[in-house]
Amino acid sequence: MTAIVIAEGLTKKYKTMVRPALSDVTYTLNQAEVIGLLGPNGAGKTTLVKLMCGITSRSAGGLTICGGDPMTDAGMVKRTVAAVHQSGPMDNMLPAIDQVKIAAAFRGLRWRDVRHRVDEMMALFDLEDVAGQLAFTLSGGQRRRLQLVRALLTVPNLLILDEPSAGLDVQGRRQMWELIAKLNVEHGTTIIWTSHYIEEIERNCARVLIIDRGRLVSDDTPAALVATYGRQSILVRLPDPDDRDRLRALLPDGTVVAAGETAFTVDGAGVDEHLPTVVDLVRGAAVRGAVIEFRAPSLEDAYVALIDQGRERVDL
């Protein structure tokens, strides 16, 4: 399997920061993988993206992108990597289509060679009618879709997506997902994808890297993370106050948490053991409007639990 990104002990320190933005991060991304990158604000995700794009230099460790160093082999890396940044700069007083032409020139591409591809993507993202509009007149979603067009003037070996769904409506997000899946399946493009929409990562990524406080705290599949850190829960709606009192009396302290005026969440490591008891109570109280809903854990649940556990250990 061909390695597209190899990071070994990757570290980045800024003079104004007490703690390194990244500390001893090691991972490998292989061809045709789709990898999610998660972490709280300030965890180091954007710094990692900047390092992979060659925007900033590392303080220590090694980094290879498509066989080259993003700092010393910048030209080669630039030709093989495409990136959609969280805030892509645009000249607000130039038309949308000129933003694309500038991006092509910056990457050393001839306009006549990429014009057909640009036309296809402008149509795909419903930007044909605004191609001549000045950038400042575009909506946030239109500007985001234009960034995708600029990034994908050629088929990249590595596509870096830094919050690509920000500002997109539901249709725009789905169009983006379809285009990314096509690149991955038909061309073997490796994709690393940061997003605060964790359900988006769970839906589209087969592997997830989680960074917190500059360190890589997990590298696994969504299913494995959910199995290890996810917590199942039972949502119980009990309109009758006597039924609510019975529920509290039947279960151990701390497992019943209010989720509204008449709703409760039964949570905790032993939630499966409590299920028969809760089901029997709800069955008996069904005539009084009792309802039960069993909730399977999600990647978001696992992510929050993993980050919380890590910080509890650090704070001890």
mmCIF file with all atom_site columns, all heavy atoms in Angstrom, residues 74-96:
data_model
loop_
_atom_site.group_PDB
_atom_site.id
_atom_site.type_symbol
_atom_site.label_atom_id
_atom_site.label_alt_id
_atom_site.label_comp_id
_atom_site.label_asym_id
_atom_site.label_entity_id
_atom_site.label_seq_id
_atom_site.pdbx_PDB_ins_code
_atom_site.Cartn_x
_atom_site.Cartn_y
_atom_site.Cartn_z
_atom_site.occupancy
_atom_site.B_iso_or_equiv
_atom_site.pdbx_formal_charge
_atom_site.auth_seq_id
_atom_site.auth_comp_id
_atom_site.auth_asym_id
_atom_site.auth_atom_id
_atom_site.pdbx_PDB_model_num
ATOM 1   N N   . ALA A 1 74 ? 8.610   22.104 -2.175  1.00 0.00 ? 74 ALA A N   1
ATOM 2   C CA  . ALA A 1 74 ? 7.316   22.789 -2.204  1.00 0.00 ? 74 ALA A CA  1
ATOM 3   C C   . ALA A 1 74 ? 6.637   22.713 -3.564  1.00 0.00 ? 74 ALA A C   1
ATOM 4   O O   . ALA A 1 74 ? 5.421   22.527 -3.658  1.00 0.00 ? 74 ALA A O   1
ATOM 5   C CB  . ALA A 1 74 ? 7.497   24.252 -1.792  1.00 0.00 ? 74 ALA A CB  1
ATOM 6   N N   . GLY A 1 75 ? 7.391   22.845 -4.637  1.00 0.00 ? 75 GLY A N   1
ATOM 7   C CA  . GLY A 1 75 ? 6.796   22.819 -5.971  1.00 0.00 ? 75 GLY A CA  1
ATOM 8   C C   . GLY A 1 75 ? 6.142   21.490 -6.277  1.00 0.00 ? 75 GLY A C   1
ATOM 9   O O   . GLY A 1 75 ? 5.009   21.442 -6.778  1.00 0.00 ? 75 GLY A O   1
ATOM 10  N N   . MET A 1 76 ? 6.830   20.402 -5.977  1.00 0.00 ? 76 MET A N   1
ATOM 11  C CA  . MET A 1 76 ? 6.280   19.082 -6.239  1.00 0.00 ? 76 MET A CA  1
ATOM 12  C C   . MET A 1 76 ? 5.054   18.820 -5.369  1.00 0.00 ? 76 MET A C   1
ATOM 13  O O   . MET A 1 76 ? 4.036   18.317 -5.841  1.00 0.00 ? 76 MET A O   1
ATOM 14  C CB  . MET A 1 76 ? 7.351   18.011 -5.968  1.00 0.00 ? 76 MET A CB  1
ATOM 15  C CG  . MET A 1 76 ? 6.908   16.581 -6.306  1.00 0.00 ? 76 MET A CG  1
ATOM 16  S SD  . MET A 1 76 ? 5.965   15.763 -4.999  1.00 0.00 ? 76 MET A SD  1
ATOM 17  C CE  . MET A 1 76 ? 7.265   15.468 -3.815  1.00 0.00 ? 76 MET A CE  1
ATOM 18  N N   . VAL A 1 77 ? 5.140   19.161 -4.090  1.00 0.00 ? 77 VAL A N   1
ATOM 19  C CA  . VAL A 1 77 ? 4.018   18.937 -3.180  1.00 0.00 ? 77 VAL A CA  1
ATOM 20  C C   . VAL A 1 77 ? 2.808   19.761 -3.612  1.00 0.00 ? 77 VAL A C   1
ATOM 21  O O   . VAL A 1 77 ? 1.668   19.286 -3.589  1.00 0.00 ? 77 VAL A O   1
ATOM 22  C CB  . VAL A 1 77 ? 4.431   19.275 -1.728  1.00 0.00 ? 77 VAL A CB  1
ATOM 23  C CG1 . VAL A 1 77 ? 3.219   19.250 -0.804  1.00 0.00 ? 77 VAL A CG1 1
ATOM 24  C CG2 . VAL A 1 77 ? 5.485   18.296 -1.234  1.00 0.00 ? 77 VAL A CG2 1
ATOM 25  N N   . LYS A 1 78 ? 3.057   21.000 -4.043  1.00 0.00 ? 78 LYS A N   1
ATOM 26  C CA  . LYS A 1 78 ? 1.961   21.864 -4.475  1.00 0.00 ? 78 LYS A CA  1
ATOM 27  C C   . LYS A 1 78 ? 1.189   21.250 -5.652  1.00 0.00 ? 78 LYS A C   1
ATOM 28  O O   . LYS A 1 78 ? -0.023  21.385 -5.765  1.00 0.00 ? 78 LYS A O   1
ATOM 29  C CB  . LYS A 1 78 ? 2.500   23.239 -4.875  1.00 0.00 ? 78 LYS A CB  1
ATOM 30  C CG  . LYS A 1 78 ? 1.410   24.275 -5.143  1.00 0.00 ? 78 LYS A CG  1
ATOM 31  C CD  . LYS A 1 78 ? 1.933   25.474 -5.892  1.00 0.00 ? 78 LYS A CD  1
ATOM 32  C CE  . LYS A 1 78 ? 3.093   26.154 -5.228  1.00 0.00 ? 78 LYS A CE  1
ATOM 33  N NZ  . LYS A 1 78 ? 3.550   27.343 -5.981  1.00 0.00 ? 78 LYS A NZ  1
ATOM 34  N N   . ARG A 1 79 ? 1.920   20.550 -6.537  1.00 0.00 ? 79 ARG A N   1
ATOM 35  C CA  . ARG A 1 79 ? 1.269   19.946 -7.702  1.00 0.00 ? 79 ARG A CA  1
ATOM 36  C C   . ARG A 1 79 ? 0.450   18.708 -7.349  1.00 0.00 ? 79 ARG A C   1
ATOM 37  O O   . ARG A 1 79 ? -0.425  18.302 -8.112  1.00 0.00 ? 79 ARG A O   1
ATOM 38  C CB  . ARG A 1 79 ? 2.326   19.578 -8.748  1.00 0.00 ? 79 ARG A CB  1
ATOM 39  C CG  . ARG A 1 79 ? 2.961   20.786 -9.436  1.00 0.00 ? 79 ARG A CG  1
ATOM 40  C CD  . ARG A 1 79 ? 3.811   20.367 -10.626 1.00 0.00 ? 79 ARG A CD  1
ATOM 41  N NE  . ARG A 1 79 ? 4.962   19.555 -10.229 1.00 0.00 ? 79 ARG A NE  1
ATOM 42  C CZ  . ARG A 1 79 ? 6.138   20.053 -9.874  1.00 0.00 ? 79 ARG A CZ  1
ATOM 43  N NH1 . ARG A 1 79 ? 6.321   21.369 -9.853  1.00 0.00 ? 79 ARG A NH1 1
ATOM 44  N NH2 . ARG A 1 79 ? 7.134   19.249 -9.549  1.00 0.00 ? 79 ARG A NH2 1
ATOM 45  N N   . THR A 1 80 ? 0.717   18.081 -6.221  1.00 0.00 ? 80 THR A N   1
ATOM 46  C CA  . THR A 1 80 ? 0.045   16.825 -5.877  1.00 0.00 ? 80 THR A CA  1
ATOM 47  C C   . THR A 1 80 ? -0.985  16.974 -4.758  1.00 0.00 ? 80 THR A C   1
ATOM 48  O O   . THR A 1 80 ? -1.740  16.042 -4.492  1.00 0.00 ? 80 THR A O   1
ATOM 49  C CB  . THR A 1 80 ? 1.083   15.766 -5.444  1.00 0.00 ? 80 THR A CB  1
ATOM 50  O OG1 . THR A 1 80 ? 1.843   16.272 -4.333  1.00 0.00 ? 80 THR A OG1 1
ATOM 51  C CG2 . THR A 1 80 ? 2.022   15.425 -6.580  1.00 0.00 ? 80 THR A CG2 1
ATOM 52  N N   . VAL A 1 81 ? -1.008  18.145 -4.112  1.00 0.00 ? 81 VAL A N   1
ATOM 53  C CA  . VAL A 1 81 ? -1.906  18.370 -2.976  1.00 0.00 ? 81 VAL A CA  1
ATOM 54  C C   . VAL A 1 81 ? -2.882  19.492 -3.303  1.00 0.00 ? 81 VAL A C   1
ATOM 55  O O   . VAL A 1 81 ? -2.518  20.508 -3.896  1.00 0.00 ? 81 VAL A O   1
ATOM 56  C CB  . VAL A 1 81 ? -1.100  18.739 -1.707  1.00 0.00 ? 81 VAL A CB  1
ATOM 57  C CG1 . VAL A 1 81 ? -2.042  19.082 -0.559  1.00 0.00 ? 81 VAL A CG1 1
ATOM 58  C CG2 . VAL A 1 81 ? -0.174  17.596 -1.311  1.00 0.00 ? 81 VAL A CG2 1
ATOM 59  N N   . ALA A 1 82 ? -4.134  19.289 -2.923  1.00 0.00 ? 82 ALA A N   1
ATOM 60  C CA  . ALA A 1 82 ? -5.145  20.354 -3.015  1.00 0.00 ? 82 ALA A CA  1
ATOM 61  C C   . ALA A 1 82 ? -5.724  20.562 -1.623  1.00 0.00 ? 82 ALA A C   1
ATOM 62  O O   . ALA A 1 82 ? -5.854  19.609 -0.850  1.00 0.00 ? 82 ALA A O   1
ATOM 63  C CB  . ALA A 1 82 ? -6.248  19.976 -3.997  1.00 0.00 ? 82 ALA A CB  1
ATOM 64  N N   . ALA A 1 83 ? -6.056  21.800 -1.297  1.00 0.00 ? 83 ALA A N   1
ATOM 65  C CA  . ALA A 1 83 ? -6.565  22.093 0.040   1.00 0.00 ? 83 ALA A CA  1
ATOM 66  C C   . ALA A 1 83 ? -7.716  23.085 -0.024  1.00 0.00 ? 83 ALA A C   1
ATOM 67  O O   . ALA A 1 83 ? -7.687  24.037 -0.804  1.00 0.00 ? 83 ALA A O   1
ATOM 68  C CB  . ALA A 1 83 ? -5.451  22.646 0.925   1.00 0.00 ? 83 ALA A CB  1
ATOM 69  N N   . VAL A 1 84 ? -8.727  22.815 0.781   1.00 0.00 ? 84 VAL A N   1
ATOM 70  C CA  . VAL A 1 84 ? -9.818  23.769 0.987   1.00 0.00 ? 84 VAL A CA  1
ATOM 71  C C   . VAL A 1 84 ? -9.682  24.254 2.419   1.00 0.00 ? 84 VAL A C   1
ATOM 72  O O   . VAL A 1 84 ? -9.977  23.520 3.367   1.00 0.00 ? 84 VAL A O   1
ATOM 73  C CB  . VAL A 1 84 ? -11.200 23.112 0.758   1.00 0.00 ? 84 VAL A CB  1
ATOM 74  C CG1 . VAL A 1 84 ? -12.313 24.112 1.046   1.00 0.00 ? 84 VAL A CG1 1
ATOM 75  C CG2 . VAL A 1 84 ? -11.316 22.596 -0.660  1.00 0.00 ? 84 VAL A CG2 1
ATOM 76  N N   . HIS A 1 85 ? -9.200  25.483 2.583   1.00 0.00 ? 85 HIS A N   1
ATOM 77  C CA  . HIS A 1 85 ? -8.912  25.999 3.911   1.00 0.00 ? 85 HIS A CA  1
ATOM 78  C C   . HIS A 1 85 ? -10.157 26.593 4.549   1.00 0.00 ? 85 HIS A C   1
ATOM 79  O O   . HIS A 1 85 ? -11.127 26.943 3.873   1.00 0.00 ? 85 HIS A O   1
ATOM 80  C CB  . HIS A 1 85 ? -7.799  27.048 3.850   1.00 0.00 ? 85 HIS A CB  1
ATOM 81  C CG  . HIS A 1 85 ? -6.474  26.498 3.409   1.00 0.00 ? 85 HIS A CG  1
ATOM 82  N ND1 . HIS A 1 85 ? -5.707  25.696 4.214   1.00 0.00 ? 85 HIS A ND1 1
ATOM 83  C CD2 . HIS A 1 85 ? -5.802  26.617 2.234   1.00 0.00 ? 85 HIS A CD2 1
ATOM 84  C CE1 . HIS A 1 85 ? -4.605  25.349 3.566   1.00 0.00 ? 85 HIS A CE1 1
ATOM 85  N NE2 . HIS A 1 85 ? -4.640  25.889 2.367   1.00 0.00 ? 85 HIS A NE2 1
ATOM 86  N N   . GLN A 1 86 ? -10.082 26.707 5.890   1.00 0.00 ? 86 GLN A N   1
ATOM 87  C CA  . GLN A 1 86 ? -11.208 27.217 6.653   1.00 0.00 ? 86 GLN A CA  1
ATOM 88  C C   . GLN A 1 86 ? -11.619 28.609 6.175   1.00 0.00 ? 86 GLN A C   1
ATOM 89  O O   . GLN A 1 86 ? -12.790 28.940 6.115   1.00 0.00 ? 86 GLN A O   1
ATOM 90  C CB  . GLN A 1 86 ? -10.817 27.247 8.134   1.00 0.00 ? 86 GLN A CB  1
ATOM 91  C CG  . GLN A 1 86 ? -11.984 27.094 9.077   1.00 0.00 ? 86 GLN A CG  1
ATOM 92  C CD  . GLN A 1 86 ? -11.527 26.798 10.487  1.00 0.00 ? 86 GLN A CD  1
ATOM 93  O OE1 . GLN A 1 86 ? -10.341 26.607 10.745  1.00 0.00 ? 86 GLN A OE1 1
ATOM 94  N NE2 . GLN A 1 86 ? -12.446 26.765 11.405  1.00 0.00 ? 86 GLN A NE2 1
ATOM 95  N N   . SER A 1 87 ? -10.646 29.426 5.825   1.00 0.00 ? 87 SER A N   1
ATOM 96  C CA  . SER A 1 87 ? -10.941 30.778 5.317   1.00 0.00 ? 87 SER A CA  1
ATOM 97  C C   . SER A 1 87 ? -10.012 31.054 4.141   1.00 0.00 ? 87 SER A C   1
ATOM 98  O O   . SER A 1 87 ? -8.894  31.541 4.334   1.00 0.00 ? 87 SER A O   1
ATOM 99  C CB  . SER A 1 87 ? -10.746 31.827 6.419   1.00 0.00 ? 87 SER A CB  1
ATOM 100 O OG  . SER A 1 87 ? -9.449  31.738 6.958   1.00 0.00 ? 87 SER A OG  1
ATOM 101 N N   . GLY A 1 88 ? -10.472 30.701 2.946   1.00 0.00 ? 88 GLY A N   1
ATOM 102 C CA  . GLY A 1 88 ? -9.664  30.913 1.756   1.00 0.00 ? 88 GLY A CA  1
ATOM 103 C C   . GLY A 1 88 ? -9.718  32.364 1.309   1.00 0.00 ? 88 GLY A C   1
ATOM 104 O O   . GLY A 1 88 ? -10.804 32.934 1.158   1.00 0.00 ? 88 GLY A O   1
ATOM 105 N N   . PRO A 1 89 ? -8.571  33.013 1.091   1.00 0.00 ? 89 PRO A N   1
ATOM 106 C CA  . PRO A 1 89 ? -8.573  34.425 0.700   1.00 0.00 ? 89 PRO A CA  1
ATOM 107 C C   . PRO A 1 89 ? -9.102  34.626 -0.715  1.00 0.00 ? 89 PRO A C   1
ATOM 108 O O   . PRO A 1 89 ? -8.880  33.801 -1.597  1.00 0.00 ? 89 PRO A O   1
ATOM 109 C CB  . PRO A 1 89 ? -7.095  34.812 0.788   1.00 0.00 ? 89 PRO A CB  1
ATOM 110 C CG  . PRO A 1 89 ? -6.347  33.526 0.582   1.00 0.00 ? 89 PRO A CG  1
ATOM 111 C CD  . PRO A 1 89 ? -7.205  32.462 1.196   1.00 0.00 ? 89 PRO A CD  1
ATOM 112 N N   . MET A 1 90 ? -9.824  35.712 -0.912  1.00 0.00 ? 90 MET A N   1
ATOM 113 C CA  . MET A 1 90 ? -10.328 36.091 -2.227  1.00 0.00 ? 90 MET A CA  1
ATOM 114 C C   . MET A 1 90 ? -10.193 37.597 -2.385  1.00 0.00 ? 90 MET A C   1
ATOM 115 O O   . MET A 1 90 ? -10.236 38.338 -1.397  1.00 0.00 ? 90 MET A O   1
ATOM 116 C CB  . MET A 1 90 ? -11.802 35.706 -2.410  1.00 0.00 ? 90 MET A CB  1
ATOM 117 C CG  . MET A 1 90 ? -12.077 34.228 -2.487  1.00 0.00 ? 90 MET A CG  1
ATOM 118 S SD  . MET A 1 90 ? -13.823 33.908 -2.875  1.00 0.00 ? 90 MET A SD  1
ATOM 119 C CE  . MET A 1 90 ? -13.873 32.123 -2.696  1.00 0.00 ? 90 MET A CE  1
ATOM 120 N N   . ASP A 1 91 ? -10.044 38.041 -3.613  1.00 0.00 ? 91 ASP A N   1
ATOM 121 C CA  . ASP A 1 91 ? -10.074 39.469 -3.912  1.00 0.00 ? 91 ASP A CA  1
ATOM 122 C C   . ASP A 1 91 ? -11.538 39.839 -4.129  1.00 0.00 ? 91 ASP A C   1
ATOM 123 O O   . ASP A 1 91 ? -12.139 39.470 -5.148  1.00 0.00 ? 91 ASP A O   1
ATOM 124 C CB  . ASP A 1 91 ? -9.242  39.772 -5.158  1.00 0.00 ? 91 ASP A CB  1
ATOM 125 C CG  . ASP A 1 91 ? -9.100  41.272 -5.401  1.00 0.00 ? 91 ASP A CG  1
ATOM 126 O OD1 . ASP A 1 91 ? -10.053 42.014 -5.093  1.00 0.00 ? 91 ASP A OD1 1
ATOM 127 O OD2 . ASP A 1 91 ? -8.046  41.691 -5.895  1.00 0.00 ? 91 ASP A OD2 1
ATOM 128 N N   . ASN A 1 92 ? -12.104 40.536 -3.177  1.00 0.00 ? 92 ASN A N   1
ATOM 129 C CA  . ASN A 1 92 ? -13.540 40.826 -3.213  1.00 0.00 ? 92 ASN A CA  1
ATOM 130 C C   . ASN A 1 92 ? -13.972 41.652 -4.413  1.00 0.00 ? 92 ASN A C   1
ATOM 131 O O   . ASN A 1 92 ? -15.156 41.675 -4.758  1.00 0.00 ? 92 ASN A O   1
ATOM 132 C CB  . ASN A 1 92 ? -13.966 41.539 -1.926  1.00 0.00 ? 92 ASN A CB  1
ATOM 133 C CG  . ASN A 1 92 ? -14.083 40.584 -0.763  1.00 0.00 ? 92 ASN A CG  1
ATOM 134 O OD1 . ASN A 1 92 ? -14.427 39.419 -0.930  1.00 0.00 ? 92 ASN A OD1 1
ATOM 135 N ND2 . ASN A 1 92 ? -13.777 41.069 0.427   1.00 0.00 ? 92 ASN A ND2 1
ATOM 136 N N   . MET A 1 93 ? -13.036 42.347 -5.063  1.00 0.00 ? 93 MET A N   1
ATOM 137 C CA  . MET A 1 93 ? -13.397 43.214 -6.177  1.00 0.00 ? 93 MET A CA  1
ATOM 138 C C   . MET A 1 93 ? -13.149 42.555 -7.533  1.00 0.00 ? 93 MET A C   1
ATOM 139 O O   . MET A 1 93 ? -13.198 43.224 -8.567  1.00 0.00 ? 93 MET A O   1
ATOM 140 C CB  . MET A 1 93 ? -12.618 44.530 -6.087  1.00 0.00 ? 93 MET A CB  1
ATOM 141 C CG  . MET A 1 93 ? -12.914 45.327 -4.813  1.00 0.00 ? 93 MET A CG  1
ATOM 142 S SD  . MET A 1 93 ? -14.688 45.540 -4.496  1.00 0.00 ? 93 MET A SD  1
ATOM 143 C CE  . MET A 1 93 ? -15.141 46.563 -5.894  1.00 0.00 ? 93 MET A CE  1
ATOM 144 N N   . LEU A 1 94 ? -12.912 41.249 -7.538  1.00 0.00 ? 94 LEU A N   1
ATOM 145 C CA  . LEU A 1 94 ? -12.770 40.503 -8.789  1.00 0.00 ? 94 LEU A CA  1
ATOM 146 C C   . LEU A 1 94 ? -13.935 39.527 -8.936  1.00 0.00 ? 94 LEU A C   1
ATOM 147 O O   . LEU A 1 94 ? -14.452 39.007 -7.948  1.00 0.00 ? 94 LEU A O   1
ATOM 148 C CB  . LEU A 1 94 ? -11.452 39.727 -8.813  1.00 0.00 ? 94 LEU A CB  1
ATOM 149 C CG  . LEU A 1 94 ? -10.168 40.540 -9.010  1.00 0.00 ? 94 LEU A CG  1
ATOM 150 C CD1 . LEU A 1 94 ? -8.968  39.609 -8.976  1.00 0.00 ? 94 LEU A CD1 1
ATOM 151 C CD2 . LEU A 1 94 ? -10.208 41.305 -10.333 1.00 0.00 ? 94 LEU A CD2 1
ATOM 152 N N   . PRO A 1 95 ? -14.356 39.250 -10.196 1.00 0.00 ? 95 PRO A N   1
ATOM 153 C CA  . PRO A 1 95 ? -15.434 38.287 -10.419 1.00 0.00 ? 95 PRO A CA  1
ATOM 154 C C   . PRO A 1 95 ? -15.037 36.879 -9.954  1.00 0.00 ? 95 PRO A C   1
ATOM 155 O O   . PRO A 1 95 ? -13.849 36.541 -9.856  1.00 0.00 ? 95 PRO A O   1
ATOM 156 C CB  . PRO A 1 95 ? -15.636 38.316 -11.937 1.00 0.00 ? 95 PRO A CB  1
ATOM 157 C CG  . PRO A 1 95 ? -15.046 39.612 -12.374 1.00 0.00 ? 95 PRO A CG  1
ATOM 158 C CD  . PRO A 1 95 ? -13.906 39.889 -11.448 1.00 0.00 ? 95 PRO A CD  1
ATOM 159 N N   . ALA A 1 96 ? -16.045 36.057 -9.718  1.00 0.00 ? 96 ALA A N   1
ATOM 160 C CA  . ALA A 1 96 ? -15.820 34.688 -9.232  1.00 0.00 ? 96 ALA A CA  1
ATOM 161 C C   . ALA A 1 96 ? -14.918 33.909 -10.190 1.00 0.00 ? 96 ALA A C   1
ATOM 162 O O   . ALA A 1 96 ? -13.993 33.211 -9.756  1.00 0.00 ? 96 ALA A O   1
ATOM 163 C CB  . ALA A 1 96 ? -17.159 33.983 -9.067  1.00 0.00 ? 96 ALA A CB  1
#
